[in-house]
Amino acid sequence: MLYANQSQSNITVGLQYQGLLGIVMFSTLTSVPCCVFLFINGTMLFTLRSKAVFRETSRYILLYNLLFADTVLMAQSQLMYVLAACRLRLTYPVCGFLSMLANLTKEISPLTLVVMSLERYVAVCFPLRHAAIITIRNTAMAITVVWAFCSLNVLTRIVLLSNVPFKDPDSLKMKDFCGQESILIDPISDLYDKAYTYFLFISAGIVVSCSYVGVMIAARSASTDRDSAIKARKTLLLHLVQLGFSLLSTMHNPLLIAISKIVTRIVLVRIQNVLYMFIIILPRCLSALIYGIRDQTIRPVLVYDLCCQWKNSPLL
């Protein structure tokens, strides 16, 4: 799977061909929006833990889990970008740890979207049983299963990577910038990575799509709350968009390879920075923006928290 840290590696490999001014400019244009998004996500996480209604409602608990994974991935991605922009080369163990962290948090998002879609499906299609099925305990169990499944995948990757021999301590020093492609030395690891990616996104896409179709069918029933069904249908459609953005990030490198055949390296680096912001960073803030604006319960609390955080900022 081509993850965010791989994107940072590919972007900053091209930065070495630019002058200091170019590096500072691109790093600033990338870091400032990322810090803004981290501020929004951090405030949203605080908001979701500030009220009992958020802590005791299953869909808000799932949203917190999704937002937490996206925020960690965003922070880790930007860290990798800054390290590579400064031309700092890591050791394979350190790069492997950061890559596995990116793998873990990256996979949490589509699986959490699957659980959130199923929760909306139950709420519309089985409204009388929703309270009995979607409980705090069951939600916690679902989140635990998601993290356990993703952790198992990370452990499998570590086992595959452990088969790569390192002859001496000097061989642990990376000769290139840290990225996903830098640690997938073994062909078996690369094959497993691609197979798991296909399985994950195809399965998630099928579940979310089926939930959407089920809600559409239920919306035509006279016994179903039509307003609730319409809201759920729009939410599931947004989940499909979010899932599409996650899938799009895995197509980042093949797209750049195709573009590199028709443009110069300097132009390619600029395109890489734009794609990095719109494909890697911006989707990580999508959940906070979507739910912060659409949800009538979250919106007033989030706006209040954002205003208070901004007024108390040491930069003002």
Side-chain angles (χ1 to χ4, degrees):
M1 188 182 292
L2 301 176
Y3 293 105
N5 53 344
Q6 180 180 2
S7 303
Q8 283 82 62
S9 173
N10 293 333
I11 293 171
T12 49
V13 164
L15 288 177
Q16 60 185 318
Y17 295 93
Q18 301 183 87
L20 178 61
L21 180 61
I23 295 176
V24 172
M25 182 183 68
F26 281 116
S27 298
T28 302
L29 290 176
T30 303
S31 300
V32 171
C34 185
C35 291
V36 173
F37 293 152
L38 284 173
F39 172 76
I40 295 174
N41 278 23
T43 305
M44 183 74 163
L45 288 171
F46 172 79
T47 300
L48 290 173
R49 302 302 298 173
S50 63
K51 303 291 183 180
V53 64
F54 300 139
R55 297 192 300 267
E56 298 172 359
T57 305
S58 295
R59 65 192 181 102
Y60 293 131
I61 296 174
L62 292 170
L63 175 60
Y64 182 91
N65 184 66
L66 174 66
L67 198 61
F68 176 78
D70 284 345
T71 304
V72 172
L73 179 59
M74 190 192 305
Q76 189 268 353
S77 299
Q78 191 59 26
L79 173 63
M80 295 297 296
Y81 181 93
V82 172
L83 289 175
C86 296
R87 302 179 182 179
L88 297 178
R89 290 176 173 82
L90 307 177
T91 61
Y92 276 102
V94 175
C95 179
F97 170 78
L98 293 174
S99 297
M100 293 304 109
L101 176 62
N103 288 335
L104 177 63
T105 52
K106 180 78 172 185
E107 294 158 8
I108 292 295
S109 295
L111 292 179
T112 304
L113 287 173
V114 168
V115 179
M116 294 175 72
S117 299
L118 292 175
E119 187 274 332
R120 288 292 85 196
Y121 173 79
V122 173
V124 174
C125 299
F126 305 98
L128 299 179
R129 300 179 58 187
H130 179 264
I133 298 175
I134 310 298
T135 62
I136 301 298
R137 180 180 178 182
N138 290 343
T139 303
M141 289 180 60
I143 293 175
T144 302
V145 170
V146 167
W147 280 88
F149 182 80
C150 295
S151 299
L152 180 61
N153 173 59
V154 170
L155 289 176
T156 303
R157 295 172 187 268
I158 293 175
V159 171
L160 292 175
L161 291 175
S162 65
N163 295 327
V164 179
F166 292 99
K167 299 179 180 179
D168 52 72
D170 292 336
S171 64
L172 293 176
K173 186 71 174 180
M174 299 189 67
K175 298 179 182 179
D176 203 345
F177 298 107
C178 178
Q180 184 73 11
E181 78 289 350
S182 302
I183 63 172
L184 291 180
I185 304 174
D186 188 5
I188 298 179
S189 299
D190 185 45
L191 181 61
Y192 171 81
D193 186 75
K194 292 178 180 178
Y196 180 83
T197 301
Y198 296 149
F199 169 77
L200 178 66
F201 282 99
I202 291 175
S203 302
I206 291 175
V207 173
V208 178
S209 299
C210 290
S211 300
Y212 180 78
V213 172
V215 169
M216 286 186 63
I217 295 175
R220 300 177 181 178
S221 173
S223 60
T224 304
D225 185 349
R226 188 171 182 82
D227 291 337
S228 176
I230 292 175
K231 290 181 180 179
R233 187 176 63 184
K234 292 180 179 179
T235 300
L236 289 173
L237 188 59
L238 289 173
H239 289 342
L240 279 173
V241 173
Q242 290 174 280
L243 191 63
F245 273 116
S246 296
L247 179 60
L248 187 62
S249 65
T250 67
M251 307 162 86
H252 180 268
N253 272 28
L255 181 61
L256 288 178
I257 291 174
I259 295 175
S260 66
K261 298 178 180 179
I262 58 176
V263 299
T264 63
R265 177 168 290 275
I266 297 300
V267 174
L268 178 63
V269 171
R270 293 171 182 172
I271 294 175
Q272 285 175 321
N273 278 273
V274 173
L275 292 180
Y276 167 67
M277 285 304 305
F278 284 95
I279 295 180
I280 305 298
I281 296 298
L282 183 58
R284 304 280 80 81
C285 193
L286 197 59
S287 299
L289 294 176
I290 290 175
Y291 287 93
I293 295 174
R294 291 183 70 246
D295 195 288
Q296 299 295 330
T297 306
I298 295 180
R299 182 166 58 190
V301 183
L302 177 62
V303 171
Y304 175 80
D305 289 339
L306 281 173
C307 293
C308 289
Q309 294 285 349
W310 181 255
K311 290 180 180 179
N312 295 331
S313 174
L315 299 177
L316 297 179

